[in-house]
Amino acid sequence: MSYAGDVSPQQTWESLASDPEAVLVDVRTDAELTFVGRPDLSSLGKQHLAIPWTGYPGGERNANFLRDLEGHGVTRETRVYFLCRTGVRSVAAATEATAAGWRAAYNITDGFEGGFDDEGRRTVAGWKVAGLPWRQD
C-alpha cells in the first residue's frame, strides 16, 4: 500500500471528531456533490474540503490537485481522509498525496455511496449507508 491506509466511513468520523486538525477531502466532481450529496461535518464544527480529482464532464485529471490541497491549508503533517463515490479516486488521491510527502493520507473505503446491490442500487456500503450525516444541495 502506498498511502497511510484504508479506513471505514465510521472510523473516519471518529477520527475527525477526536482530532481537531484532521480534514476530510471530497475528491468527487462538483456535479456529484450537488446532485448526490456531501458529508455534513457541521456537528463537529468542521467543513469538508471539495477538491475534485477529475473534471466534469470530460473526466480530465485535475493537474492542480496537490496545489489545491495546499491552498486549502492542508499541510503535509495534517491527517487527511480522501472520499470519492466508491473508494477508487480516493485511493489515487491518497497515493499521490503520500508520494508528494503527506504523512497521513487515508482512503475512505466504499466512499460516499459504495457499490451496487443486487438491484443495481448503491445501498450496501459507504458514508450514506453508514448513517453518517450528509446533506444534499
Side-chain angles (χ1 to χ4, degrees):
M1 183 175 305
S2 58
Y3 51 94
D6 296 318
V7 294
S8 71
Q10 186 63 43
Q11 289 170 313
T12 301
W13 179 264
E14 292 165 5
S15 293
L16 291 168
S18 65
D19 181 352
E21 302 302 319
V23 297
L24 187 152
V25 176
D26 197 323
V27 301
R28 293 176 295 149
T29 66
D30 291 338
E32 288 173 290
L33 295 172
T34 298
F35 297 110
V36 177
R38 61 183 75 219
D40 182 357
L41 307 180
S42 61
S43 67
L44 301 178
K46 295 183 175 193
Q47 292 185 355
H48 80 291
L49 301 177
I51 305 173
W53 181 253
T54 57
Y56 177 82
E60 66 282 351
R61 167 79 171 72
N62 177 3
N64 295 318
F65 183 78
L66 295 174
R67 191 171 317 130
D68 293 345
L69 195 58
E70 289 177 319
H72 280 89
V74 181
T75 70
R76 284 170 171 72
E77 289 75 38
T78 302
R79 186 175 296 269
V80 58
Y81 297 88
F82 292 102
L83 177 76
C84 67
R85 183 183 64 201
T86 59
V88 175
R89 287 171 286 176
S90 52
V91 166
T95 300
E96 181 162 313
T98 300
W102 269 265
R103 296 186 182 132
Y106 294 88
N107 167 56
I108 302 173
T109 57
D110 299 313
F112 190 69
E113 294 185 284
F116 292 112
D117 63 17
D118 293 339
E119 296 178 8
R121 296 186 181 105
R122 295 189 186 277
T123 63
V124 295
W127 187 275
K128 289 168 69 174
V129 172
L132 295 170
W134 65 282
R135 66 182 178 84
Q136 193 163 14
D137 293 341

